[in-house]
Amino acid sequence: MSFFSNLFKFGSQNMAIDLGTANTLVYVQDQGIILNEPSVVAIETISGIKRVKAVGDDAKMMMGKTPDTIEAIRPLRDGVIADIEIAEEMIKHFIRKVHGKRNLFRYPEIVICVPSGSTSVEKRAIRDAASNAGASEVHLILEPMAAAIGADMPVTEPVGSMVVDIGGGTTEVAVLSLRGLAYTTSVRTGGDKMDEAIVSYVRRHHNLLIGDATAERIKKDYGIAVIPEDGAGESITLKGRDLVNGVPKEITINQAHVAEALSEPIGAIVEGVRIALENTAPELAADIVDQGIVLTGGGALIRRLDEHLREETGLPVSIAEDPLTCVAIGTGRAMEDPIYRGVLMTA
């Protein structure tokens, strides 16, 4: 059996996948990140038969703009697989895109990161999806551990360090030491909840209905954690549907309104950090005072979030060098570097 499995693996490229709620990144051994696309699949139904029409960037462009026969689906919600079949199709598509169709005997070893709060059923679903997509071996790594490795934190040393990974579906808060998680909590708040908060705020205060894509653009371009010093900040023009008259309409809001809209999801993240600090052992807490907190994930790019967290906790807070790719880089390093192999697990 080992001869055949080695034959199948011949020429295959091992890969690490950051299967995110918002984006999926694929890291190929000895090459780095070579794919970064939205975790979206467009399904077309013709005569009752469903087929995949587009995946990734192409499918994301269709969100909110599809006819009745096409549905753009995000197979991951809150960091876990909500639709196993569609997630499988998405993973297969990305593996094919990375490998091409040059060789049939390509059965790579795959490392996938999972949120720390995942149940054994959720972990098994992710493992099965990767196995069915053609992986010969599947290893899992916890998301905060991958984020910490990607951010060059001393996870293998007897030193306590804290990472806050703000993803699309969840925020992972963890205290790490000696290749393990000394304490971890998963807050079901992330970029998606921030988008929802913006949609809800605009609907409540201005009777205007905007789409998720518009809310995401506002968050990325104008998102701020605290009200600007001048009390207003930059102005933002929004287009959507007037809920009173039912016609398209344009309004103007400012960054102070965005900060107000984001106050609830950001408050939940701060609360998660506080709970983690309260539950940290005294010796590790002493290390965190020196080391500080490192922010990773797309949510770390919200302006002045590090400042806000610094004020709330009284600890030094820094943002990782490349917060968007930290988890994928850490997952890749755990696959390549023998020092980190001990952090991998099987479902």
Side-chain angles (χ1 to χ4, degrees):
M1 278 300 287
S2 63
F3 169 75
F4 284 110
S5 62
N6 287 335
L7 177 68
F8 283 135
K9 283 187 195 177
F10 180 73
S12 75
Q13 296 164 296
N14 293 339
M15 57 178 81
I17 301 176
D18 170 14
L19 200 60
T21 307
N23 292 289
T24 295
L25 286 82
V26 178
Y27 180 110
V28 173
Q29 193 165 353
D30 304 323
Q31 290 182 46
I33 295 168
I34 63 168
L35 184 138
N36 181 356
E37 291 197 23
S39 304
V40 184
V41 181
I43 301 288
E44 187 173 30
T45 309
I46 299 171
S47 308
I49 298 165
K50 293 186 175 187
R51 69 178 189 90
V52 176
K53 184 170 177 65
V55 180
D57 288 323
D58 297 337
K60 176 85 182 273
M61 288 166 72
M62 298 179 187
M63 284 196 87
K65 300 178 182 181
T66 56
D68 291 344
T69 53
I70 299 172
E71 190 184 2
I73 297 167
R74 292 176 65 181
L76 288 106
R77 281 272 158 209
D78 297 334
V80 293
I81 291 181
D83 192 317
I84 184 78
E85 285 174 20
I86 295 186
E88 214 171 280
E89 289 298 329
M90 186 176 79
I91 295 170
K92 273 182 193 166
H93 173 87
F94 289 144
I95 289 175
R96 276 193 223 109
K97 197 164 183 178
V98 167
H99 270 159
K101 295 176 182 174
R102 297 186 302 274
N103 192 339
L104 289 173
F105 299 118
R106 286 182 175 272
Y107 287 79
E109 186 182 328
I110 291 182
V111 180
I112 298 185
C113 69
V114 292
S116 58
S118 300
T119 63
S120 56
V121 173
E122 288 164 345
K123 286 176 186 170
R124 197 171 292 274
I126 290 172
R127 193 200 62 186
D128 290 349
S131 297
N132 295 338
S136 59
E137 260 181 87
V138 182
H139 297 286
L140 303 178
I141 180 171
L142 294 175
E143 215 167 282
M145 178 61 78
I149 293 170
D152 290 321
M153 293 167 76
V155 296
T156 57
E157 295 168 27
V159 175
S161 41
M162 187 179 219
V163 66
V164 179
D165 178 47
I166 308 166
T170 58
T171 294
E172 305 285 320
V173 184
V175 178
L176 307 106
S177 176
L178 290 168
R179 288 196 188 88
L181 300 179
Y183 179 82
T184 178
T185 181
S186 188
V187 184
R188 296 266 161 136
T189 300
D192 288 352
K193 285 280 193 294
M194 292 180 192
D195 296 346
E196 284 169 26
I198 292 169
V199 171
S200 169
Y201 180 88
V202 172
R203 187 176 61 230
R204 208 168 51 242
H205 291 267
H206 300 278
N207 285 324
L208 188 80
L209 189 63
I210 58 170
D212 290 340
T214 303
E216 188 182 10
R217 181 180 56 79
I218 295 164
K219 177 190 72 184
K220 282 182 176 172
D221 297 346
Y222 302 99
I224 191 163
V226 290
I227 290 171
E229 282 145 16
D230 65 356
E234 293 175 59
S235 292
I236 309 143
T237 302
L238 293 180
K239 292 168 189 161
R241 192 177 83 231
D242 189 332
L243 289 169
V244 178
N245 303 318
V247 294
K249 180 178 138 184
E250 187 175 282
I251 63 158
T252 302
I253 62 169
N254 59 40
Q255 275 187 301
H257 296 136
V258 178
E260 200 182 320
L262 294 177
S263 62
E264 198 177 318
I266 286 173
I269 292 167
V270 171
E271 189 56 32
V273 172
R274 275 218 190 95
I275 290 166
L277 290 167
E278 280 169 18
N279 288 279
T280 302
E283 292 298 329
L284 293 171
D287 289 340
I288 294 167
V289 172
D290 298 332
Q291 301 279 329
I293 300 169
V294 177
L295 299 181
T296 67
L301 298 172
I302 296 281
R303 279 179 253 188
R304 296 180 66 186
L305 179 59
D306 54 336
E307 223 176 278
H308 179 58
L309 208 52
R310 200 175 299 131
E311 279 173 24
E312 292 290 327
T313 60
L315 295 169
V317 179
S318 60
I319 298 171
E321 199 174 318
D322 193 350
L324 285 167
T325 59
C326 256
V327 174
I329 289 169
T331 309
R333 279 190 196 160
M335 171 183 69
E336 289 176 339
D337 195 331
I339 294 171
Y340 298 122
R341 284 300 276 198
V343 304
L344 300 181
M345 54 189 187
T346 50

